[in-house]
Amino acid sequence: MIAGVVLAGGKGVRMKSSLPKLFHNLLGKPIIRYVLDNLSELKLNKTILVIPPNQEGDFRKVVEDLETKKDQKIEIVYVFQEEPLGTGDALRRAMPELEGFDTVLVVNGDAPLITDEIFKGLLDSYRDDVSAVVLSTILDDPMHYGRVIKNKDGNVIKIVEAKDASEEEREIKEVNTGAYCFSVEDLKAAIEKIDNNNAQEEYYITQLVEILNRMGKKVISCQTDLGSLALGINSRLDLALATRKLLQEKLERLMDEGVTIVSPENTYIEIDVSVGKDTVIEPFSVLKGSTVVGERCIIGPSTYLLNAYIGNECEIFYSVIKNSKIESNVRVGPFAHIRDGTHIKSHSAIGDFVEVKKSTIGSYTKALHLSYLGDAEIGEKVNIGAGTITCNYDGKTKHKTTIEDEAFIGSNTCLRAPIKIGRGAITGAGSVVLKDVEPGTTVVGVPARPIERKPKEEGGKSE
Ligand code: UD1
Ligand code: CA
């Protein structure tokens, strides 16, 4: 039986942030979420997360769906490290949860780029005759990382933190990645012996290597080929470099799948975004969160999509869309702002300087210029003239506007909500509509009143 322990206590002082380090956003996911996603691929029998006591709620939020996922479900147990006394102390907190397990995989919570494949390699290199395996890598510049010291047989006898290393030790290029595999039985005996007699006065997990050696046990290393970045996110610079690496990989994956990215160096697409084939992403576009873009779309230039669903064959040009659904064959922009809770149905068009909030826009409807549509339910084949405003707010509450199919809203109409414009009704240019308009009726003026006119004679086309 194999358990996993994620060390997620600690302060993360080098980030200089009021947000705990492991919750910082890395291409759309918190750092810690990468580590847990990677571990979930390993099908461990249990995953123990060592966290500061006041962060339980935040951690639970981040992993919620992982615990209920069907094929990738992982069982997470929380244990608390009251004070950040070091990585060795953090592991000690997890020991009671390891009862009944033979082997434990321990990983730093700040290493989002160590993949599940690498973890698998570490587990595979664990053998019956060793007490521990240290995942290590070779760095030209080993910086502040712990040095892996070996004897002539190639076994690991010690890990020395850079701050405690002698000049000679500091020359060693094999470093500790912060991922280990231990025999639980030997770990139980060794962990009691960790002390904090070192430069940082912390309990180091790395001291276990020396202790196990003293107990006559064998420790080996599993060398992997990782850049320094993959070892840990400690600073804002590390975060930016990790983002760049993951972003590059994400864009390459999308291009592989048939998406044109005109200027990869000027495109930001977060990790969970999906884009259909033959879609073109023009420069300076930002696609975030759970955004889904269909096939044969043109997105951008300079478009911002957050948790947006975009159907097939849409053109979204210089626009912002947040938490909204756009069906197929829709044109948006330039300079449109589609806000939360909007649903734009197929073949419709939203043009320049149009803001839409929490509204439904029916198929083949057009709102092409300078309008505000908020809390509106707009039917099919409606024409919204330039400058139309839904006056949805009376200073206290928001009210709904309903515009039925084939209505024609003349330029500069103000619709004071709550209000309903009936099917095929017309409002004259500049009208201020205070009362519901019956289907097929034409209203004009301030305040708007019905006039006798055949619907077809009123107003020009808005395009
Ligand atoms: C650690 C290793 C170092 C290795 C490096 C790889 C030690 C002593 N050193 O250094 O050999 O080269 O990782 O990245 O382990 N944490 C706790 N409780 C604490 C302190 C830390 O849970 O009291 C957690 C942190 O949240 C973090 C992880 O342990 O996720 C590593 O801690 P960090 O302080 O970043 O260790 P490094 O100095 O990077
Ligand atoms: Ca670290």
Side-chain angles (χ1 to χ4, degrees):
M1 293 256 284
I2 306 179
V5 174
V6 181
L7 306 179
K11 286 194 295 263
V13 279
R14 286 165 281 184
M15 288 299 264
K16 307 214 172 81
S17 176
S18 51
L19 179 71
K21 174 169 90 170
L22 302 181
F23 295 118
H24 276 258
N25 176 36
L26 173 59
L27 206 67
K29 280 201 301 199
I31 292 171
I32 185 69
R33 179 61 196 245
Y34 283 85
V35 178
L36 292 165
D37 279 342
N38 289 335
L39 287 184
S40 75
E41 297 286 338
L42 303 179
K43 312 255 180 307
L44 301 169
N45 302 90
K46 180 179 186 178
T47 302
I48 301 146
L49 202 47
V50 187
I51 62 170
N54 59 341
Q55 290 172 19
E56 186 182 354
D58 298 325
F59 273 98
R60 282 191 186 276
K61 248 184 260 154
V62 163
V63 300
E64 228 166 27
D65 60 307
L66 254 183
E67 290 178 283
T68 50
K69 246 187 184 167
K70 250 210 258 116
D71 38 348
Q72 252 190 339
K73 182 177 160 183
I74 67 174
E75 192 207 325
I76 297 174
V77 176
Y78 295 86
V79 303
F80 304 109
Q81 187 188 23
E82 304 296 329
E83 301 258 356
L85 300 176
T87 46
D89 177 69
L91 178 56
R92 192 157 53 195
R93 306 285 147 182
M95 293 310 291
E97 291 294 338
L98 295 179
E99 229 30 82
F101 286 89
D102 313 306
T103 312
V104 59
L105 171 70
V106 182
V107 305
N108 281 353
D110 66 352
L113 303 189
I114 303 184
T115 61
D116 52 315
E117 289 303 319
I118 294 173
F119 287 138
K120 274 181 202 149
L122 172 61
L123 284 174
D124 286 347
S125 60
Y126 180 73
R127 319 185 299 248
D128 279 349
D129 66 320
V130 304
S131 279
V133 187
V134 177
L135 185 73
S136 71
T137 193
I138 309 282
L139 296 181
D140 284 341
D141 176 8
M143 302 191 283
H144 54 271
Y145 293 110
R147 311 298 201 260
V148 175
I149 318 276
K150 289 177 164 174
N151 64 14
K152 58 180 186 332
D153 302 327
N155 296 328
V156 183
I157 50 171
K158 202 171 152 186
I159 296 175
V160 192
E161 291 306 299
K163 284 185 180 150
D164 301 297
S166 66
E167 226 160 274
E168 205 180 312
E169 287 168 332
R170 232 173 272 151
E171 292 300 307
I172 293 171
K173 296 200 182 328
E174 183 171 2
V175 300
N176 169 28
T177 65
Y180 326 78
C181 194
F182 291 101
S183 137
V184 172
E185 198 188 331
D186 294 345
L187 181 61
K188 273 187 200 161
I191 199 145
E192 294 309 321
K193 300 184 178 132
I194 295 186
D195 62 42
N196 64 351
N197 299 327
N198 52 55
Q200 301 189 89
E201 296 185 340
E202 279 186 7
Y203 295 88
Y204 290 163
I205 192 174
T206 46
Q207 196 191 1
L208 286 168
V209 174
E210 231 180 311
I211 295 169
L212 286 168
N213 271 279
R214 256 190 276 136
M215 288 164 53
K217 307 284 180 183
K218 199 191 275 183
V219 179
I220 58 171
S221 76
C222 164
Q223 243 186 53
T224 129
D225 187 15
L226 278 174
S228 61
L229 188 58
L231 271 52
I233 310 278
N234 297 309
S235 62
R236 307 270 180 169
L237 177 63
D238 289 344
L239 184 63
L241 295 171
T243 301
R244 183 158 77 188
K245 180 173 191 287
L246 286 172
L247 176 58
Q248 175 72 21
E249 288 168 7
K250 173 75 184 177
L251 298 179
E252 282 175 18
R253 262 197 311 278
L254 288 173
M255 290 188 264
D256 246 16
E257 289 163 12
V259 177
T260 294
I261 297 176
V262 174
S263 177
E265 58 278 20
N266 295 304
T267 302
Y268 176 84
I269 301 185
E270 288 186 342
I271 198 93
D272 288 335
V273 171
S274 77
V275 183
K277 72 175 187 313
D278 288 321
T279 281
V280 177
I281 311 284
E282 298 278 5
F284 308 110
S285 293
V286 171
L287 280 60
K288 290 172 70 119
S290 57
T291 291
V292 173
V293 177
E295 300 183 356
R296 300 177 300 285
C297 293
I298 301 174
I299 306 295
S302 296
T303 284
Y304 179 95
L305 306 178
L306 172 67
N307 305 325
Y309 174 93
I310 313 282
N312 297 327
E313 290 172 37
C314 289
E315 275 182 54
I316 318 288
F317 193 48
Y318 283 99
S319 290
V320 173
I321 301 180
K322 297 178 211 149
N323 302 305
S324 291
K325 178 174 179 178
I326 314 291
E327 292 184 4
S328 295
N329 301 92
V330 171
R331 276 189 295 139
V332 176
F335 315 113
H337 186 187
I338 312 295
R339 291 166 53 197
D340 294 6
T342 294
H343 180 180
I344 299 180
K345 298 193 178 167
S346 66
H347 300 276
S348 49
I350 304 295
D352 25 327
F353 305 104
V354 174
E355 175 180 345
V356 186
K357 187 213 79 174
K358 211 171 157 190
S359 294
T360 301
I361 311 284
S363 293
Y364 295 95
T365 284
K366 287 175 182 155
L368 293 176
H369 335 269
L370 304 154
S371 290
Y372 173 62
L373 306 171
D375 306 301
E377 174 98 35
I378 301 176
E380 289 180 11
K381 299 184 188 150
V382 170
N383 191 86
I384 304 286
T388 296
I389 306 288
T390 55
C391 310
N392 61 331
Y393 186 51
D394 60 10
K396 289 197 194 87
T397 14
K398 304 281 167 68
H399 300 282
K400 186 172 172 181
T401 299
T402 305
I403 303 175
E404 292 184 341
D405 296 349
E406 293 174 29
F408 186 98
I409 309 299
S411 296
N412 248 7
T413 295
C414 288
L415 301 164
R416 190 187 66 181
I419 198 161
K420 184 171 179 179
I421 309 297
R423 185 186 173 101
I426 292 174
T427 69
S431 53
V432 175
V433 187
L434 304 180
K435 285 193 270 183
D436 289 358
V437 178
E438 292 304 313
T441 315
T442 298
V443 297
V444 298
V446 182
R449 62 205 185 284
I451 52 163
E452 287 295 321
R453 237 184 190 190
K454 277 193 225 134
K456 275 195 182 134
E457 291 171 20
E458 174 74 28
K461 268 207 101 192
S462 174
E463 255 186 306

